[in-house]
Amino acid sequence: MREKQKAMIGMVLFYLPFHIFLSPTYWDDAKYAQVLEQYQYDLIRYTARRYSIWSSRITIELLLPFLTTFPTYIWKILNLLMLILLYYDLTWLTENVFGLRDKKQYRMTAILLCAFPFSIMAQTGWIATTTNYLWVLALGGYAITRMLKAAWLGQRLRGLEVLCAALAVIYSASFESMAAILFLIGAWLFVFCTKEKKGYPAVLWVCQILTMLFLVYILCCPGNRVRPIQDAETWMPEFFSLSFLDKLRMGILSSYMHFVSLPSPIFFILNVLLFFVYRGESAWRRLLAALPVLTDVMWTGYFMLNYLMGWRTFTYQTPVPLPETWGERMEQGLLLLTVVVWFCVLFYTLFYKVKAQAKAAAVVLLLSCLPEIAVGLTPTVIASILRTMIYLYMALILLVAVLMEKQEEILTRGSVRFCQLCMAAGVLMNACQIARHIMLYG
């Protein structure tokens, strides 16, 4: 059996027991389970109502009432299939964009997916959260890989692949952030084909036209203007007092604080690698490369102390929308400085060490930040940032794979083993978090 399939099966075997025992019957899942009866199975009236007062995610909104009323094993099987699709999306990118085809990459990608904190995919209920985030990312990733395969690599697609890509867009472009990502990638591929004097593949036309239709639908949706007002009353009454820069600050800090308020193994592994790959370099480069992992450990220690001393009540700690005290301003200022330093060190390392694949890695990272920025501009940033982090986590997994492979000759056996130990700890932590969530909620 090929190494890729073995790694995929291992990932499925890890997630299978949790899917057997979890119960998607609470919070938003319970609400959607009542929708069909509330609207007397009139899907047109239901869709029109949701569009006018709440959401433009028409495809997802139509699927949710059925998934929450069908036997739960249907969603469980589909969710495992989406995890498999997400794994193949990532391995396709590592193979074809970053040129990584070593069998170790397949195992590492599967292990890192098992270390991804999967319990954040139950934040509003297992079905409601996964269909809006995991499924959107997996299907959107499939559409992106098909467009890249046809337009960038110049490979011919079968008719079935074009059809599946179109269906993937119909589902994933219903979500605002993914629609924007698909549009940007499609637009770039049109420019690329024009510069290279290539033809425009059918899949590119189909996906881009569908994406643009969804973008128009999203922009015209009255519910997208009504919902922030209702959300602000529930989640952040200060929202309309915030400037654009304040909202941007909330998105950036909420994302970074997620990584450090509880230890994030994937984030930590990337930061450790940024230090390890400078072995034998000058002292100032080693010192610069140590900053991400040092600040990661320091902030985690700081927030753990906050939590243990009872100064903060949330496990995943979030920033104050309008800092008033000197201490709050100092804390957020230092956090923003840390984020700036982290990006500077990461981009410097990519262009100094990875070189050929640096641009692609930088683009993946920046695109994964778009959903975090978008949610930061809404009053649900504190409530929604956890599940939105799946985009950044997938980008971090790709960056870890790139650094591990491209700097293999620099990494010592001890540093590789340390990273492997961190991956194992991440898998164990993920298992404990999922088990805890199942015991508490279902």
Side-chain angles (χ1 to χ4, degrees):
M1 188 182 297
R2 293 177 59 189
E3 196 65 36
K4 185 190 291 189
Q5 281 70 40
K6 288 181 182 178
M8 179 270 291
I9 291 172
M11 182 195 68
V12 172
L13 290 176
F14 171 80
Y15 279 110
L16 180 60
F18 299 112
H19 278 71
I20 291 173
F21 290 107
L22 63 84
S23 177
T25 55
Y26 57 91
W27 297 338
D28 282 4
D29 292 349
K31 292 179 182 178
Y32 278 105
Q34 301 169 3
V35 162
L36 292 177
E37 288 187 5
Q38 288 174 354
Y39 287 88
Q40 291 81 45
Y41 294 84
D42 187 341
L43 294 179
I44 295 177
R45 187 163 65 90
Y46 159 71
T47 304
R49 178 68 174 165
R50 297 290 289 182
Y51 183 72
S52 63
I53 66 167
W54 194 249
S55 173
S56 57
R57 300 171 190 174
I58 178 172
T59 318
I60 303 168
E61 292 276 329
L62 280 171
L63 183 63
L64 272 169
F66 292 99
L67 281 178
T68 50
T69 51
F70 288 164
T72 57
Y73 72 84
I74 295 176
W75 167 81
K76 292 178 180 182
I77 292 172
L78 290 173
N79 202 55
L80 286 171
L81 291 174
M82 289 299 171
L83 279 168
I84 293 171
L85 179 59
L86 183 59
Y87 170 75
Y88 277 102
D89 290 341
L90 292 174
T91 54
W92 190 95
L93 291 172
T94 57
E95 289 172 352
N96 296 281
V97 176
F98 300 107
L100 311 179
R101 296 179 181 272
D102 192 288
K103 62 182 181 181
K104 296 192 296 293
Q105 295 298 323
Y106 303 134
R107 291 198 299 267
M108 184 169 63
T109 301
I111 292 170
L112 288 172
L113 276 174
C114 292
F116 161 67
F118 190 69
S119 56
I120 67 175
M121 289 291 99
Q123 195 188 9
T124 60
W126 287 107
I127 297 178
T129 311
T130 52
T131 51
N132 274 277
Y133 293 89
L134 173 62
W135 292 26
V136 164
L137 185 55
L139 291 168
Y142 177 80
I144 289 168
T145 60
R146 295 312 91 184
M147 288 193 289
L148 289 173
K149 180 179 178 180
W152 189 50
L153 299 181
Q155 298 178 12
R156 188 177 182 84
L157 298 186
R158 292 170 296 160
L160 182 60
E161 285 182 283
V162 177
L163 176 61
C164 288
L167 293 174
V169 170
I170 289 172
Y171 185 88
S172 59
S174 180
F175 196 95
E176 304 86 358
S177 297
M178 182 53 74
I181 292 171
L182 286 167
F183 175 77
L184 289 173
I185 292 175
W188 173 76
L189 287 173
F190 269 107
V191 172
F192 173 80
C193 290
T194 302
K195 283 183 64 178
E196 298 295 319
K197 297 181 179 179
K198 293 183 175 182
Y200 306 109
V203 69
L204 185 57
W205 280 109
V206 171
C207 290
Q208 192 69 343
I209 289 171
L210 287 172
T211 300
M212 291 174 69
L213 290 174
F214 271 103
L215 281 172
V216 172
Y217 185 81
I218 290 166
L219 291 172
C220 294
C221 175
N224 288 341
R225 295 186 290 274
V226 173
R227 182 176 179 180
I229 299 173
Q230 299 177 26
D231 284 340
E233 295 174 357
T234 305
W235 300 107
M236 193 189 295
E238 313 94 332
F239 178 73
F240 295 107
S241 301
L242 301 179
S243 66
F244 174 80
L245 291 178
D246 287 329
K247 295 171 186 176
L248 190 62
R249 167 179 54 83
M250 287 295 293
I252 294 170
L253 293 186
S254 297
S255 300
Y256 186 77
M257 288 171 72
H258 164 77
F259 285 132
V260 297
S261 62
L262 276 184
S264 173
I266 296 174
F267 185 68
F268 180 73
I269 291 167
L270 176 61
N271 291 335
V272 166
L273 281 173
L274 290 175
F275 175 70
F276 284 159
V277 298
Y278 281 90
R279 184 171 67 91
E281 296 279 351
S282 61
W284 76 268
R285 281 201 175 106
R286 294 279 286 173
L287 179 61
L288 181 71
L291 290 176
V293 67
L294 288 177
T295 51
D296 183 0
V297 173
M298 289 169 62
W299 280 116
T300 298
Y302 169 76
F303 286 118
M304 287 290 248
L305 179 64
N306 271 261
Y307 181 67
L308 293 172
M309 294 297 289
W311 299 332
R312 294 179 189 251
T313 56
F314 290 109
T315 305
Y316 289 106
Q317 298 176 34
T318 54
V320 177
L322 288 170
E324 296 177 355
T325 67
W326 179 87
E328 290 170 347
R329 294 192 187 98
M330 177 66 74
E331 178 187 279
Q332 294 199 13
L334 289 174
L335 279 166
L336 286 171
L337 178 62
T338 303
V339 173
V340 171
V341 170
W342 184 81
F343 271 102
C344 288
V345 173
L346 179 57
F347 282 125
Y348 179 81
T349 303
L350 290 176
F351 285 93
Y352 177 63
K353 289 289 186 178
V354 179
K355 295 178 181 177
Q357 285 78 29
K359 288 183 180 179
V363 167
V364 167
L365 179 62
L366 291 174
L367 285 175
S368 71
C369 289
L370 288 180
E372 320 304 323
I373 294 172
V375 78
L377 301 178
T378 71
T380 60
V381 56
I382 292 175
S384 301
I385 198 68
L386 276 183
R387 49 190 181 266
T388 312
M389 294 298 294
I390 188 173
Y391 290 86
L392 260 177
Y393 269 112
M394 296 308 113
L396 296 186
I397 289 172
L398 288 173
L399 291 175
V400 168
V402 170
L403 283 175
M404 287 283 282
E405 176 68 16
K406 295 299 181 181
Q407 302 301 310
E408 188 176 16
E409 70 281 359
I410 294 176
L411 298 173
T412 64
R413 184 177 297 179
S415 61
V416 172
R417 286 179 177 173
F418 180 75
C419 290
Q420 291 171 343
L421 181 63
C422 292
M423 291 179 199
V427 174
L428 180 61
M429 183 182 295
N430 181 32
C432 291
Q433 288 175 332
I434 300 173
R436 174 182 176 273
H437 191 96
I438 292 173
M439 288 187 290
L440 287 177
Y441 306 111

